[in-house]
Amino acid sequence: DAGVIQSPRHEVTEMGQEVTLRCKPISGHDYLFWYRQTMMRGLELLIYFNNNVPIDDSGMPEDRFSAKMPNASFSTLKIQPSEPRDSAVYFCASSYPGPSGANVLTFGAGSRLTVL
Amino acid sequence: AQKITQTQPGMFVQEKEAVTLDCTYDTSDQSYGLFWYKQPSSGEMIFLIYQGSYDEQNATEGRYSLNFQKARKSANLVISASQLGDSAMYFCAMREANSGYSTLTFGKGTMLLVSP
């Protein structure tokens, strides 16, 4: 299996532009998570899906952020309009249910976003 | 209150020595899972080891072991015979039953540097 695939790996954009980050989870995993990592706040959960349905988006910072999962093999995280404070590494992760809550999250390589 | 606390921002160890990375957690759940992830300078998040709250024995995975002390709510990672490639950020994380074993909450991390 190729693992969780994220694109782009690096994105540099100007303030006000739309940014779309993409994720392909591991086949058979029915949970998909979007995390954001910054020096100040560490790893924060933004949103997660179960069977393509958004379950908890309470971590999404504001309305500029949106996420979709149109099918089991694809998800997007969109920021519109982007701001410099959105600069971070965005991770996608997927998992399947395991016994005793031992759901190991497998992470993608991350998308490093820089907003100028 | 923070759910996961890692009190050591940085740790230094010499090659071939053992090192313990501290992690304490806060939960009112009886059922939960504890995880450790490694993040090398390349940025990916690598799963290392898992401990379930009902597991009676400490988890081990090769050179990694988890010193689980339930009453103290601690889940320290022990790396035996450190190698230069162990230099990385290490994150402790928890998944709780009251979140449906879905979301994973991370600590701030500990930077480990292994010297020759």
Side-chain angles (χ1 to χ4, degrees), chain B residues 77-88:
Chain B
L77 178 70
V78 181
I79 305 175
S80 63
S82 299
Q83 300 173 356
L84 296 178
D86 294 334
S87 293

Side-chain angles (χ1 to χ4, degrees), chain A residues 33 35 37 41 43 45 48 91 100-105 107, chain B residues 35 37 39 43 45 47 50 91 95 101-104 106 108:
Chain A
F33 305 81
Y35 281 85
Q37 185 179 32
R41 301 175 68 92
L43 276 154
L45 177 67
Y48 78 93
F91 285 102
S100 304
N103 312 0
V104 176
L105 264 67
F107 283 78
Chain B
F35 301 77
Y37 281 81
Q39 187 177 39
M45 295 286 289
F47 166 72
Y50 161 81
F91 292 95
R95 167 176 270 146
Y101 297 116
S102 52
T103 59
L104 200 59
F106 286 85
K108 297 292 187 188

Side-chain angles (χ1 to χ4, degrees), chain B residues 3-104:
Chain B
K3 284 189 175 289
I4 298 288
T5 302
Q6 295 181 253
T7 57
Q8 307 152 313
M11 290 285 286
F12 294 89
V13 68
Q14 277 202 312
E15 203 176 6
K16 299 180 185 176
E17 292 185 349
V19 62
T20 298
L21 306 183
D22 293 342
C23 172
T24 57
Y25 59 91
D26 182 27
T27 182
S28 56
D29 274 342
Q30 295 300 308
S31 182
Y32 49 89
L34 297 158
F35 301 77
W36 278 91
Y37 281 81
K38 171 184 178 182
Q39 187 177 39
S41 58
S42 52
E44 70 268 33
M45 295 286 289
I46 302 167
F47 166 72
L48 295 179
I49 195 167
Y50 161 81
Q51 178 85 42
S53 58
Y54 292 119
D55 295 341
E56 294 186 352
Q57 293 201 338
N58 288 341
T60 60
E61 289 286 348
R63 295 185 299 110
Y64 304 109
S65 61
L66 200 153
N67 184 358
F68 182 46
Q69 298 189 38
K70 196 169 182 176
R72 294 185 179 183
K73 293 189 175 178
S74 77
N76 298 339
L77 178 70
V78 181
I79 305 175
S80 63
S82 299
Q83 300 173 356
L84 296 178
D86 294 334
S87 293
M89 276 294 276
Y90 288 81
F91 292 95
C92 180
M94 177 173 65
R95 167 176 270 146
E96 300 168 275
N98 68 8
S99 71
Y101 297 116
S102 52
T103 59
L104 200 59

Side-chain angles (χ1 to χ4, degrees), chain A residues 37-108:
Chain A
Q37 185 179 32
T38 60
M39 287 293 292
M40 291 296 293
R41 301 175 68 92
L43 276 154
E44 305 173 278
L45 177 67
L46 300 177
I47 185 171
Y48 78 93
F49 296 82
N50 179 215
N51 292 320
N52 313 338
V53 176
I55 303 301
D56 184 355
D57 65 355
S58 60
M60 296 285 261
E62 46 198 278
D63 292 345
R64 297 184 298 107
F65 286 70
S66 63
K68 293 182 180 179
M69 192 165 185
N71 56 62
S73 58
F74 184 66
S75 177
T76 60
L77 178 67
K78 188 174 292 187
I79 308 172
Q80 167 63 20
S82 57
E83 296 182 3
R85 60 192 167 124
D86 302 331
S87 297
V89 179
Y90 291 82
F91 285 102
C92 177
S94 69
S95 78
Y96 59 89
S100 304
N103 312 0
V104 176
L105 264 67
T106 301
F107 283 78

